[in-house]
Amino acid sequence: MEFNHVHKSKKRVDVYEKVTGRAKYGADMRFPDMLYAQTLYTKYPYAEIKNIDLDKAKKQTDVEAIITAEDVPNNKFGVIIENQQVLAEDKSLFIGDGIAVVAAKTAKAAARAIELIDVEYKELEGIYDPLKARKEGSQLIHEENESNQVIHHPLRKGNIKQGFLESDVIIKREYDTPFIEQSYIEPEAVVAVPYQENSTITVYGSIQNPFATQGAVASVLKEKLNKIRIVQNHMGGSFGGKDEVVSSMAARAAILALKTKKPVRLVNTRDQSIKESYKRHPYKMKYKIGATHDGQLKAMQIEAVADSGAYACQTPFVTWRSVVQATGPYEVANVKTDTYGFYTNNIYTGAMRGYGSPQVIFAQESLMDELAEELDMDPVELRLKNIYHNNSITASGQKLDSHQVSLEEVLTKAVEKSDFIEKYNRYKKEQTGDKKRGIGLSISFRGCSLGAEAIDAAGIILSLKKDGSVNLYSGLAENGQGLKTVYCQIAGEILGLDIDRINFMEVDTLISPDSGSTVASRATLIGGNAVKKAANNLKNRIKKFIAESYEQTEDDIVLKDGKIYGKKSIEIMSIAKMSSMAAMEGVCLTSYGWYVSPEISWDEEIGQGNPYFTYVYGCQVAEVEVDIKTGEINVLKMTAAHDVGRAINPANVKGQIYGGVMMGLGYGIMEELKTNQGYIQNTNFDEYLIPTVKDMPDIDPIIVENPDPDGPFGAKSIGEPTLELGAAAIANAVANAADKRIRSLPINLEQIIVGRKLSKGGGQK
Amino acid sequence: MKINLTVNGEKREVEVKPQTRLLDLLREDLDLTGTKEGCGKGECGACTVIMNNELVASCLVLAIQADQSEIITIEGLNCQDELHPIQKAFINKGAVQCGFCIPGMIMSSKQLLDENINPTEAEIKRGLSGNICRCTGYVKIIDAVKEAAHKMKSRGEDDD
Ligand code: FES
Ligand code: FES
């Protein structure tokens, strides 16, 4: 297929303002009379709030308003379970709970006032371990519940007992993973403006999901949705992280704005951000796997326990993704999986790039290598014997027959390109010296878009102007990933227009169609299909107009390079000219595209059904060098093969791979948000280390394309798969190098070799 | 107190408090919001500007320390509408995702290339080691600096 605008490495449409510093992010917004807000956080993770004395703080000069839970019309919100407090009411449930928020004429005055608020607490003994929270009879974090369980997702397939009976080899392993901070470089920022035009409140800022935030603010204020307006344009990264925490901040700022009748800006410092924003779920996982001597998997039994922290937030859905993907992309006839989430008094956990997959992939792909070792088989061979192919049946009983199952292709490509087999066997032998090399791999299948979590639909509005330029209104939002560019490319392809003729407008809940959240790597797939529909609707109207006015048949009409061609490819006129004529003739040049994804199904009782309508497949290979004297791990090279369906913008796809691989490397060997009895110990980038330019391995991206019948021009997803594989591949490489199996992230060899931690994070220097 | 400084070639007189950081002076008093705050602790590099020909983390510099100084921020890089070669290279190489680290990255790149127009890859990495980026994996940022070096060098040679 010949393309003019998609499948091309077009420059980003938002890049000019970003390299010149003109792009306005949340904290860059200015409004007349704007006030500066500051949040007072609880002093203890779990405490009764006996009294809040605001007198002194209120008397401070320049202080305009202070709110506490009493001022919040409806203090509890949440997308799935409404139990997140906007401000702590009777008790603080985790260390990032807010107690009061001050709005003042200057940031300094707000900070001073915060210090003058007197809070009387009664410290309580909290629960900081999900396994403790799970015990029957343990004290309840949310008293209205019967237990601390947020969710339990069972999955039952075949007969697990029989499966293990048929196995020659059975191994049992336990793995665990830590809290992870999304670490977007831009801390959360919102500005709430009261009574702007016809809205009660307008919130601007770094908001990942404008419609989720709109819903939360409306419910907190007890106001109608059509009175709450959210505007989002540039955002300094999110990775899943600017959802509930930002909604809560938006609600706080909104209440203050209504109280003072002035715009209120609430911007977190990094320390505040790390303390109050939700994290990636830590998991404790137990795996049991059985196979025959020749490597055929017979049974898998899995239990995964996630720490939900103080609130439900996204735990029910995060753990649901885990239950679907927990066995990995392997055909196993007998499976029993249980994933759980429990409340604790830790920092709450929610969405982060990958959602519930990186944890289980780390476990299950480590496990596959451990099993290969046990069977004395090479890890590629064991995988090839069991991976999904076309028409395979997954653990949830889904037949993969709607798209090309390309696991073997991605695996083979990555293995060949990285020279895996040769290196694996060479490194496995005795290596001389302290520095040992190792190579490891991991593979995954990943359900695209929301799946059975919710109905998956999105809308786009295109408005063709009289000069042939276009405004594009989307409900899905740019997070930095490049969505604006991809949508402009898709619209441009269909309308025959250069992407510089298309203006992607800020996401504004006033105009943009409610398309749910920009999550789950669904933007290109679901939103892209909506763009395609909107553009096709518009194109059909243009064709009809031209056919009627110029005695052409619609089938002969082609839109290309800004021009309209008719019979025998003869140019009729420019799209610009046509637009002005059509407008004069009363042709509607605004179109709507609404896309609803194919049907899916899920039986929550037994975890069976078709949870996603399509999947992407990936394989990453890590090559490492470990110093067995010091435990230092150096990742030398990552080879990453990903099937994206079709790369709408290959350069952007590579950008996603580079960024995701680095984030995966951080997950593998560096990052860990440390908590102690609910207190967070590393609240800034001097202690919470993320990969810098010095930690870069050589990254070799391999784009694999098997166009999906349900994707726009065949495109699927790339954002999340890139980060979910790295930690497992590195763990396997370390085992290959040093003959040490680490089952806990981040991989810290120093601890094992020297018996104590020499430096934070596990040795990447 | 009043301080005098030159920002992006323009003389400015600003009233500041003793605790005001250079970052706040730029962002709040002069409304130059291209310079970003990511950590407030000298760790992320988002607030990087050039002060008296040296790279500084403006979150660690007090405004009063900038009295009589010459500051260049991202807004001062492109003259009129012509982009600086580094900005062009960041665009061409697709080095930008969310963009939040980018002003700081570009300022560090500028300083690096002003001092050394022929940097090796290791020197580029050293030059950018104070700037963290969560989105890009740095690969294309390094490519962009290489391209900018190349362009600036040949431009310099053309001028001769
Ligand atoms: S804000 Fe100054 S270095 Fe991060
Ligand atoms: S582009 Fe997002 S932090 Fe660098």
Side-chain angles (χ1 to χ4, degrees):
Chain A
M1 218 185 208
E2 266 292 313
F3 295 115
N4 294 307
H5 301 279
V6 301
H7 212 224
K8 301 252 180 300
S9 293
K10 298 267 177 184
K11 290 183 187 110
R12 291 179 68 107
V13 297
D14 55 356
V15 71
Y16 182 84
E17 52 264 48
K18 286 181 176 175
V19 300
T20 51
R22 287 185 204 170
K24 295 280 180 213
Y25 295 76
D28 303 336
M29 308 276 178
R30 303 285 182 269
F31 294 88
D33 287 332
M34 187 172 80
L35 301 176
Y36 296 79
Q38 269 274 0
T39 306
L40 171 71
Y41 298 96
T42 174
K43 203 168 157 195
Y44 307 101
Y46 191 40
E48 217 176 288
I49 299 157
K50 303 287 246 183
N51 187 40
I52 307 174
D53 183 354
L54 301 175
D55 281 355
K56 270 183 273 166
K58 275 186 175 158
K59 283 189 200 121
Q60 266 299 301
T61 40
D62 289 345
V63 169
E64 300 240 335
I66 307 181
I67 56 163
T68 63
E70 273 181 20
D71 304 284
V72 184
N74 172 19
N75 196 31
K76 288 194 179 161
F77 75 101
V79 189
I80 308 169
I81 299 171
E82 293 183 359
N83 65 6
Q84 179 169 344
Q85 309 186 89
V86 178
L87 289 169
E89 208 161 329
D90 304 323
K91 282 180 188 164
S92 68
L93 297 180
F94 83 108
I95 194 65
D97 256 338
I99 302 283
V101 193
V102 176
K105 285 201 179 107
T106 65
K108 289 259 149 57
R112 226 178 313 124
I114 285 292
E115 282 168 23
L116 293 172
I117 298 174
D118 246 325
V119 187
E120 201 188 308
Y121 299 93
K122 182 177 169 220
E123 208 187 335
L124 302 169
E125 198 174 320
I127 304 179
Y128 305 104
D129 177 354
L131 297 180
K132 260 200 191 145
R134 177 187 203 172
K135 290 213 179 93
E136 223 170 295
S138 49
Q139 98 195 346
L140 295 174
I141 313 274
H142 292 275
E143 277 145 24
E144 67 276 19
N145 297 341
E146 276 162 18
S147 77
N148 287 320
Q149 183 174 303
V150 183
I151 192 81
H152 169 213
H153 297 292
L155 182 149
R156 305 286 181 263
K157 182 191 177 192
N159 181 338
I160 193 86
K161 253 196 197 143
Q162 188 58 35
F164 283 118
L165 276 177
E166 289 167 14
S167 305
D168 303 313
V169 176
I170 295 173
I171 62 172
K172 283 192 201 171
R173 296 289 185 267
E174 292 185 17
Y175 303 90
D176 65 80
T177 64
F179 286 105
I180 296 289
E181 161 63 35
Q182 291 87 354
S183 307
Y184 29 78
I185 306 299
E186 176 205 28
E188 304 81 6
V190 292
V191 185
V193 184
Y195 309 115
Q196 207 181 26
E197 306 305 339
N198 296 344
S199 300
T200 307
I201 273 290
T202 306
V203 187
Y204 300 83
S206 63
I207 297 163
Q208 180 178 330
N209 298 318
F211 291 95
T213 295
Q214 183 192 35
V217 173
S219 115
V220 171
L221 295 183
K222 295 191 177 168
E223 178 57 286
K224 288 193 281 298
L225 283 170
N226 69 358
K227 294 279 191 177
I228 306 292
R229 180 178 175 197
I230 311 288
V231 184
Q232 188 265 23
N233 197 10
H234 296 294
M235 185 160 68
S238 183
F239 314 108
K242 286 174 179 164
D243 198 339
E244 287 83 351
V245 60
V246 173
S247 292
S248 164
M249 289 171 66
R252 293 171 189 170
I255 296 166
L256 283 166
L258 290 176
K259 210 166 168 177
T260 58
K261 303 204 169 47
K262 288 180 186 169
V264 172
R265 165 180 137 169
L266 182 54
V267 178
N268 274 347
T269 63
R270 177 61 53 184
D271 290 79
Q272 290 167 337
S273 166
I274 291 191
K275 214 164 121 176
E276 104 162 283
S277 72
Y278 54 83
K279 306 289 176 268
R280 185 192 294 293
H281 292 71
Y283 271 44
K284 293 184 198 297
M285 294 163 284
K286 290 185 180 162
Y287 271 73
K288 181 178 172 188
I289 190 167
T292 58
H293 284 307
D294 62 356
Q296 204 196 347
L297 300 185
K298 283 286 172 194
M300 257 174 125
Q301 186 174 347
I302 303 160
E303 184 190 86
V305 173
D307 187 346
S308 186
Y311 300 121
C313 194
Q314 308 252 330
T315 297
F317 291 169
V318 168
T319 49
W320 181 73
R321 186 171 278 278
S322 314
V323 85
V324 175
Q325 291 178 214
T327 59
Y330 305 107
E331 287 205 58
V332 192
N334 309 293
V335 182
K336 177 172 183 276
T337 302
D338 294 278
T339 62
Y340 299 89
F342 293 98
Y343 293 112
T344 65
N345 293 108
N346 284 323
I347 178 117
Y348 72 121
T349 44
M352 180 175 172
R353 190 183 195 176
Y355 222 53
S357 75
Q359 299 94 335
V360 293
I361 290 174
F362 166 65
Q364 142 256 315
E365 283 301 275
S366 297
L367 181 75
M368 284 303 280
D369 266 39
E370 295 204 57
L371 179 66
E373 182 81 39
E374 202 70 29
L375 292 168
D376 202 17
M377 196 175 269
D378 92 61
V380 177
E381 192 189 344
L382 176 64
R383 284 176 174 84
L384 282 174
K385 276 196 171 155
N386 295 284
I387 53 172
Y388 293 155
H389 295 280
N390 284 342
N391 300 314
S392 283
I393 309 287
T394 67
S396 73
Q398 179 174 17
K399 189 170 181 192
L400 300 174
D401 58 3
S402 75
H403 60 281
Q404 179 66 24
V405 179
S406 56
L407 258 177
E408 188 170 341
E409 185 180 352
V410 291
L411 176 63
T412 312
K413 284 192 164 144
V415 161
E416 279 172 7
K417 193 91 190 285
S418 61
D419 214 355
F420 182 89
I421 308 275
E422 191 275 321
K423 284 182 172 167
Y424 178 81
N425 290 320
R426 178 150 50 94
Y427 295 155
K428 229 178 142 182
K429 293 193 197 117
E430 196 64 37
Q431 299 180 48
T432 52
D434 292 336
K435 297 206 166 154
K436 318 265 188 215
R437 294 262 173 123
I439 195 164
L441 63 78
S442 63
I443 59 174
S444 74
F445 78 125
R446 181 181 185 87
C448 299
S449 85
L450 297 174
E453 283 168 24
I455 280 290
D456 208 334
I460 290 287
I461 298 170
L462 290 175
S463 170
L464 179 63
K465 303 291 151 189
K466 279 183 273 194
D467 62 354
S469 65
V470 175
N471 285 124
L472 187 158
Y473 302 91
S474 162
L476 297 175
E478 175 70 54
N479 290 187
Q481 79 281 47
L483 167 155
K484 289 182 179 175
T485 311
V486 161
Y487 285 12
C488 291
Q489 285 181 264
I490 294 175
E493 183 68 42
I494 293 169
L495 295 173
L497 288 173
D498 248 9
I499 61 170
D500 60 10
R501 303 287 288 275
I502 302 166
N503 191 3
F504 187 113
M505 304 310 289
E506 59 276 21
V507 175
D508 184 338
T509 55
L510 202 62
I511 304 159
S512 312
D514 185 346
S515 305
S517 292
T518 312
V519 296
S521 300
R522 65 188 280 267
T524 300
L525 179 57
I526 307 297
N529 269 319
V531 178
K532 214 176 140 193
K533 276 199 155 181
N536 274 324
N537 288 343
L538 191 54
K539 183 160 104 175
N540 291 340
R541 260 181 248 151
I542 295 170
K543 282 186 171 181
K544 187 159 175 258
F545 170 68
I546 293 286
E548 282 167 4
S549 319
Y550 292 87
E551 293 181 11
Q552 295 271 351
T553 47
E554 286 182 35
D555 286 350
D556 290 333
I557 299 170
V558 172
L559 278 66
K560 209 181 148 191
D561 304 330
K563 300 196 178 86
I564 299 173
Y565 298 88
K567 228 176 296 168
K568 298 196 182 123
S569 304
I570 293 169
E571 183 183 329
I572 302 174
M573 67 174 80
S574 69
I575 292 179
K577 188 164 173 220
M578 179 281 304
S579 308
S580 94
M581 286 173 55
M584 274 197 300
E585 296 288 322
V587 177
C588 170
L589 294 179
T590 297
S591 75
Y592 204 101
W594 187 254
Y595 175 79
V596 186
S597 66
E599 218 165 302
I600 41 183
S601 60
W602 190 251
D603 180 340
E604 184 60 44
E605 302 277 293
I606 51 166
Q608 294 293 295
N610 298 343
Y612 300 97
F613 66 89
T614 191
Y615 294 82
V616 286
Y617 305 90
C619 174
Q620 289 187 2
V621 176
E623 195 173 346
V624 303
E625 184 173 83
V626 304
D627 186 327
I628 52 148
K629 258 238 170 98
T630 63
E632 190 179 327
I633 300 170
N634 208 345
V635 180
L636 305 172
K637 183 164 186 185
M638 296 288 300
T639 305
H642 291 277
D643 189 345
V644 298
R646 166 119 48 210
I648 300 289
N649 188 317
N652 276 10
V653 168
K654 283 190 185 162
Q656 285 296 309
I657 294 178
Y658 294 134
V661 162
M662 279 298 261
M663 202 181 263
L665 183 149
Y667 193 45
I669 61 174
M670 299 175 78
E671 296 177 38
E672 176 178 19
L673 186 98
K674 292 195 179 157
T675 63
N676 181 13
Q677 300 288 304
Y679 293 93
I680 296 170
Q681 296 178 303
N682 37 358
T683 56
N684 206 326
F685 291 139
D686 52 345
E687 292 170 316
Y688 186 89
L689 303 182
I690 65 173
T692 72
V693 73
K694 289 188 167 162
D695 302 304
M696 274 178 78
D698 181 14
I699 303 173
D700 187 5
I702 303 170
I703 301 177
V704 176
E705 296 185 287
N706 289 292
D708 193 285
D710 290 313
F713 301 104
K716 293 197 267 197
S717 319
I718 186 62
E720 296 181 280
T722 57
L723 113 312
E724 63 187 14
L725 289 155
I730 293 169
N732 289 336
V734 168
N736 179 229
D739 205 16
K740 296 238 186 302
R741 174 59 58 180
I742 316 277
R743 301 189 184 90
S744 172
L745 290 181
I747 298 161
N748 188 330
L749 257 189
E750 293 166 1
Q751 201 174 17
I752 293 203
I753 290 167
V754 194
R756 67 198 154 93
K757 290 202 182 186
L758 292 180
S759 73
K760 215 227 128 266
Q764 182 81 356
K765 301 269 158 52
Chain B
M1 63 192 73
K2 265 202 180 73
I3 63 164
N4 287 286
L5 71 174
T6 309
V7 181
N8 299 331
E10 231 178 281
K11 290 215 164 19
R12 312 289 295 244
E13 188 182 89
V14 198
E15 181 72 43
V16 299
K17 301 231 165 57
Q19 335 82 304
T20 305
R21 304 171 301 171
L22 175 58
L23 176 61
D24 304 320
L25 168 104
L26 294 170
R27 288 183 49 83
E28 307 297 329
D29 297 309
L30 303 179
D31 204 24
L32 293 170
T33 55
T35 304
K36 306 296 182 199
E37 174 161 8
C39 69
K41 219 176 178 182
E43 294 291 332
C44 75
C47 66
T48 306
V49 299
I50 296 175
M51 176 167 145
N52 297 330
N53 298 316
E54 292 206 27
L55 225 45
V56 296
S58 63
C59 68
L60 296 182
V61 176
L62 288 177
I64 45 172
Q65 293 173 291
D67 193 16
Q68 305 304 328
S69 71
E70 196 166 321
I71 309 275
I72 307 173
T73 72
I74 186 73
E75 289 92 345
L77 223 59
N78 44 320
C79 27
Q80 264 85 45
D81 271 338
E82 176 71 12
L83 292 178
H84 188 281
I86 299 175
Q87 293 171 311
K88 282 190 196 159
F90 270 64
I91 294 180
N92 285 341
K93 288 287 165 189
V96 178
Q97 288 189 25
C98 82
F100 201 76
C101 70
I102 295 298
M105 283 285 182
I106 290 180
M107 297 319 286
S108 294
S109 308
K110 175 170 160 47
Q111 185 65 16
L112 169 74
L113 297 181
D114 284 349
E115 285 171 5
N116 173 8
I117 194 65
N118 264 322
T120 61
E121 178 142 342
E123 284 167 337
I124 295 175
K125 286 188 178 177
R126 206 173 314 134
L128 299 179
S129 62
N131 297 79
I132 52 180
C133 173
R134 189 57 152 174
C135 301
T136 65
Y138 308 101
V139 178
K140 295 179 180 210
I141 292 178
I142 293 174
D143 287 351
V145 176
K146 284 184 191 161
E147 180 180 285
H150 185 73
K151 287 270 158 67
M152 285 163 76
K153 209 163 53 190
S154 49
R155 196 181 61 173
E157 281 158 10
D158 288 351
D159 289 351
D160 292 343

